[in-house]
């Protein structure tokens, strides 16, 4: 019985074997390095403008545009860095370094000296005519840079302490207030400027003028980036930034990355960049008088708007914290630095770039072995069943029908006796051709066969088929075959 049950189980579970076998084989995809695609990204290891001559006294037009792009970028959004060239959907680069421009912002509010209220008419010339007779404060830094204003007059004044036009190349170390002489940022500095501002614009409830000041320093640095393209989307991570200076040379300054690789900046070629930045970042901003102020410049309007109109529609910095006003300066100068870095990197692009690998998706066959356990159990049960049958057959001593070709032929062969009863002329016919019955002569043998019943009986020479004929009187006679 148990043999029969196990056979039934094997049979029933075999229905499940097809879906389970399919579940055992999966075709997942993975990323493989693809040979022919290109993955490059611009990087630069030097800043040099061999085309600059005494007759060609203008900053590279692409650098000007990059600075302006950073200046007018919405202050809440970081300017995108250099974009990679990736002909596939997936590209990866090893961490790589590039010469870059960085911006440092330092708070120097404690260096400010605030005067008693001054009658604006007494200092006059520079101020808007509308401020005549208005009381202002003079907030000044040790280097002489000052803001004449207050929350309801002039809110910001920015300028540099050095005259850009007389500069030779790098920023003189002494011009910095907050960055110390030993700071490597100052040694590689391009330009600096100072921003003196009120921490808010006036509204009826907050009239107190509180002055703040920051120093902004643009300097060369070596940025280390980690870039990847995944499903077409670029991800750029600034890993770290180095300002370590190598040995100073006559004509160039060498910066070193953390991995000791060297980046050079041609001293003389910094001059035009330095002059441009210094002259750009100057001007005043007034929330109330707007563009009517005599010293309002495009750059000071952009910076003032970023600082004091941070919240859409709020009108004043009401609702903005003092921290937001300071962060806006950092955000704007960071975007200018990113723009400049992009132009330096793309200028070097035809010769210097970081090469990455492109990846393409490829599918492979994966076999989940646990899912095959079911099949293994099924096979084991089948083997068990076969062994069981063999053992049982041996135990019961079941005789085996032998035949040269087919055991069936031997089984179905008629005995000589049965053949004799069917009639001599019909020897060998076992089953009449039913489909052609109507056309075939209705012989005695066919008639007899139609009424015959066949059964198997175990004789001394093995299993034999034997016929029992219905003789027409309802009584069957049987003939055993010897
Ligand atoms: C790469 O390009 C070469 C020649 O252009 C071609 O023979 C090869 O099949 C390409 N390989 C792949 C992976 O596309
Ligand atoms: C500064 O930039 C960051 C994004 O880099 C942004 O989340 C933040 O809001 C900006 N802050 C201001 C005051 O614009
Ligand atoms: C400022 O001076 C002008 C004339 O020079 C005078 O008319 C005005 O009242 C003064 N304002 C204040 C606040 O003292
Ligand atoms: C802004 O600074 C410049 C240069 O330092 C100065 O000439 C000008 O009077 C200042 N303007 C105001 C409104 O403080
Ligand atoms: C800067 O990044 C590089 C690359 O990941 C790393 O080797 C180096 O140690 C980092 N340096 C610092 C100071 O984080
Ligand atoms: C400006 O500073 C004053 C004094 O510290 C403070 O009361 C005020 O809240 C500040 N304004 C903003 C917008 O933070």
């Amino acid at each position: 019985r148990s043999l029969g049950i196990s056979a039934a189980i094997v049979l029933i579970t075999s229905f499940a074997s097809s879906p389970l076998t399919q579940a055992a084989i999966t075709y997942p995809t993975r990323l493989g390095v693809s040979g022919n695609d290109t993955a490059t990204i611009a990087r630069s290891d030097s800043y040099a403008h061999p085309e600059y001559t005494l007759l060609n006294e203008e900053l590279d037009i692409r650098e000007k545009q990059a600075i302006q792009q950073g200046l007018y970028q919405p202050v809440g959004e970081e300017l995108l860095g250099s974009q990679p060239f990736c002909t596939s959907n997936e590209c990866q680069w090893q961490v790589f370094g590039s010469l870059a421009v960085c911006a440092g912002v330092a708070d120097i509010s404690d260096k400010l000296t605030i005067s008693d209220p001054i009658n604006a008419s007494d200092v006059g010339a520079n101020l808007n005519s509308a401020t005549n007779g208005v009381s202002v404060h003079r907030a000044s830094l040790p280097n002489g840079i000052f803001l004449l204003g207050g929350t309801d007059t002039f809110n910001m004044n920015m300028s540099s302490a050095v005259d850009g036009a007389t500069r030779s190349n790098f920023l003189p170390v002494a011009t910095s207030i907050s960055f110390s002489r030993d700071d490597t940022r100052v040694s590689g500095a391009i330009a600096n400027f100072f921003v003196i501002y009120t921490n808010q614009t006036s509204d009826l409830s907050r009239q107190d003028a509180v002055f703040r000041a920051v120093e902004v320093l643009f300097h060369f640095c070596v940025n280390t980036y980690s870039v990847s393209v995944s499903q077409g989307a670029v991800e750029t991570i600034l890993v770290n930034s180095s300002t370590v200076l190598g040995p100073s040379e006559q004509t160039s300054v060498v910066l070193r990355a953390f991995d000791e690789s060297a980046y050079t900046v041609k001293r003389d070629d910094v001059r035009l960049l330095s002059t441009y930045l210094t002259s750009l970042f100057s001007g005043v901003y007034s929330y109330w008088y707007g563009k009517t102020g005599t010293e309002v410049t495009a750059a000071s309007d952009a910076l003032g708007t970023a600082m004091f109109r941070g919240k859409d529609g709020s009108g004043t910095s009401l609702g903005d914290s003092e921290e937001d006003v300071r962060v806006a300066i950092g955000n704007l100068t960071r975007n200018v630095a990113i723009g400049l870095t992009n132009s330096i990197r793309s200028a070097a692009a035809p010769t210097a770039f970081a090469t990455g690998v492109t990846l393409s998706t490829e599918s492979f066959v994966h076999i989940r072995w646990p899912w095959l356990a079911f099949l293994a159990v099924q096979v084991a049960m089948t083997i068990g069943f076969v062994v069981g049958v063999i053992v049982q057959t041996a135990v019961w001593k079941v005789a085996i029908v032998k035949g040269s070709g087919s055991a069936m032929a031997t089984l179905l062969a008629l005995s000589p006796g049965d053949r004799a009863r069917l009639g001599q002329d019909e020897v060998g016919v076992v089953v009449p051709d039913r489909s052609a019955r109507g056309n075939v002569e209705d012989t005695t043998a066919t008639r007899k066969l139609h009424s015959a019943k066949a059964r198997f009986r175990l004789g001394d020479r093995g299993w034999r088929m034997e016929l029992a004929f219905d003789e027409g009187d309802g009584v069957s006679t049987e003939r055993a075959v010897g």
Side-chain angles (χ1 to χ4, degrees):
R1 269 234 334 258
S2 61
L3 212 55
I5 291 172
S6 74
I9 292 174
V10 169
L11 203 65
I12 290 167
T13 55
S14 67
F15 288 109
S17 62
S18 173
L20 282 170
T21 313
Q22 283 176 29
I25 298 172
T26 57
Y27 300 92
T29 56
R30 67 182 160 205
L31 290 174
V33 174
S34 92
N36 283 359
D37 287 314
T38 316
T40 56
I41 186 162
R43 60 176 292 278
S44 168
D45 36 35
S46 66
Y47 182 79
H49 278 286
E51 74 277 15
Y52 285 172
T53 62
L54 284 176
L55 293 174
N56 183 9
E57 280 286 275
E58 198 183 359
L59 180 68
D60 187 300
I61 202 78
R62 290 164 300 181
E63 278 167 41
K64 270 192 190 179
Q65 286 166 347
I67 292 166
Q68 289 158 7
Q69 190 186 9
L71 190 61
Y72 296 118
Q73 171 79 2
V75 72
E77 294 166 22
E78 191 172 318
L79 192 68
L80 282 181
S82 291
Q83 294 299 290
F85 181 71
C86 169
T87 56
S88 158
N89 243 2
E90 311 274 339
C91 289
Q92 283 172 6
W93 285 263
Q94 301 228 296
V95 169
F96 65 92
S98 174
L99 185 67
V101 172
C102 295
V105 178
D107 191 281
I108 47 170
S109 299
D110 56 340
K111 302 282 197 313
L112 277 176
T113 313
I114 318 290
S115 73
D116 291 333
I118 304 168
N119 187 333
S121 304
D122 298 342
V123 281
N126 286 323
L127 298 182
N128 187 297
S129 57
T131 61
N132 279 340
V134 177
S135 158
V136 293
H137 290 272
R138 183 188 173 103
S140 50
L141 286 169
N143 58 10
I145 289 174
F146 63 91
L147 165 66
L148 272 172
T151 53
D152 53 355
T153 51
F154 290 93
N155 301 107
M156 188 271 284
N157 195 357
M158 63 174 173
S159 56
S160 177
V162 281
D163 178 3
T166 64
R167 296 268 300 286
S168 62
N169 49 61
F170 280 94
L171 182 76
V173 174
T175 59
S176 176
I177 290 181
S178 56
F179 299 90
S180 84
R181 197 166 275 273
D182 309 321
D183 194 324
T184 51
R185 285 180 290 183
V186 176
S187 327
I190 304 161
N192 69 346
F193 66 94
F194 301 87
V195 185
I196 304 170
Y197 60 98
T198 58
N199 72 342
Q200 63 186 57
T201 57
S202 84
D203 60 75
L204 293 178
S205 61
R206 294 190 297 186
Q207 292 288 332
D208 286 344
V210 177
F211 292 91
R212 302 274 179 242
V214 293
E215 176 179 354
V216 177
L217 186 77
F218 288 109
H219 60 92
F220 282 106
C221 56
V222 178
N223 281 351
T224 314
Y225 301 96
S226 165
V227 179
S228 62
V229 175
S230 178
Q231 293 177 351
V234 182
E235 190 188 31
T236 304
I237 298 167
L238 178 59
V239 178
N240 57 35
S241 189
S242 160
T243 54
V244 180
L245 288 194
S248 193
E249 291 166 21
Q250 196 68 39
T251 55
S252 57
V253 166
V254 178
L255 287 92
R256 295 219 177 271
F258 290 112
D259 65 358
E260 289 301 306
S261 50
Y263 299 81
T264 54
V265 178
K266 270 290 288 306
R267 276 182 189 280
D268 288 342
D269 295 344
V270 178
R271 183 173 48 92
L272 292 179
L273 180 58
S274 182
T275 308
Y276 185 79
L277 283 174
T278 303
S279 62
L280 181 70
F281 285 99
S282 75
V284 299
Y285 178 82
S286 167
Y287 179 82
W288 289 110
Y289 300 118
K291 291 279 244 175
T292 61
T294 50
E295 299 169 77
V296 178
T297 63
S300 70
D301 190 46
L303 181 60
T305 304
M307 290 166 74
F308 299 112
R309 292 192 186 259
K311 291 267 194 304
D312 278 346
S314 70
T316 69
S317 63
L318 190 60
D320 292 354
S321 72
E322 188 179 327
E323 178 64 14
D324 289 333
V325 176
R326 197 176 55 77
V327 168
I329 302 175
N331 277 8
L332 184 138
T333 52
R334 175 201 60 196
N335 283 340
V336 169
I338 292 174
L340 257 177
T341 303
N342 288 350
S343 71
I344 291 173
R345 284 168 69 180
S346 60
T351 51
F353 48 78
T355 308
V357 290
T358 55
L359 304 173
S360 56
T361 45
E362 50 191 33
S363 60
F364 60 102
V365 177
H366 175 72
I367 296 173
R368 295 192 281 179
W369 294 105
W371 287 85
L372 286 180
F374 174 81
L375 277 186
V377 167
Q378 208 181 19
V379 168
M381 281 173 71
T382 311
I383 291 171
F385 173 70
V386 169
V387 169
V389 167
I390 290 169
V391 169
Q392 285 285 27
T393 314
V395 166
W396 288 343
K397 291 199 168 51
V398 178
I400 292 169
V401 178
K402 290 182 191 138
S404 58
S406 147
M408 216 54 186
T410 321
L411 266 176
L412 298 181
L414 287 180
S415 65
D418 283 340
R419 261 187 257 151
R421 297 182 66 201
L422 282 170
Q424 291 296 326
D425 52 336
E426 305 288 341
V427 169
V429 177
V430 176
V431 180
D433 185 354
R434 278 167 166 270
S435 60
R437 200 189 321 166
N439 305 329
V440 168
E441 225 182 312
D442 190 13
T443 63
T444 323
T446 8
R447 247 196 337 273
K448 280 183 183 171
L449 260 181
H450 273 297
S451 61
K453 289 191 178 75
R455 74 174 177 198
F456 291 104
R457 176 165 286 187
L458 183 61
D460 54 356
R461 297 213 323 259
W463 290 90
R464 281 262 167 231
M465 187 172 77
E466 125 194 336
L467 295 179
F469 296 99
D470 185 353
E471 301 290 1
D473 53 3
V475 181
S476 310
T477 55
E478 291 179 8
R479 275 180 45 94
V481 183

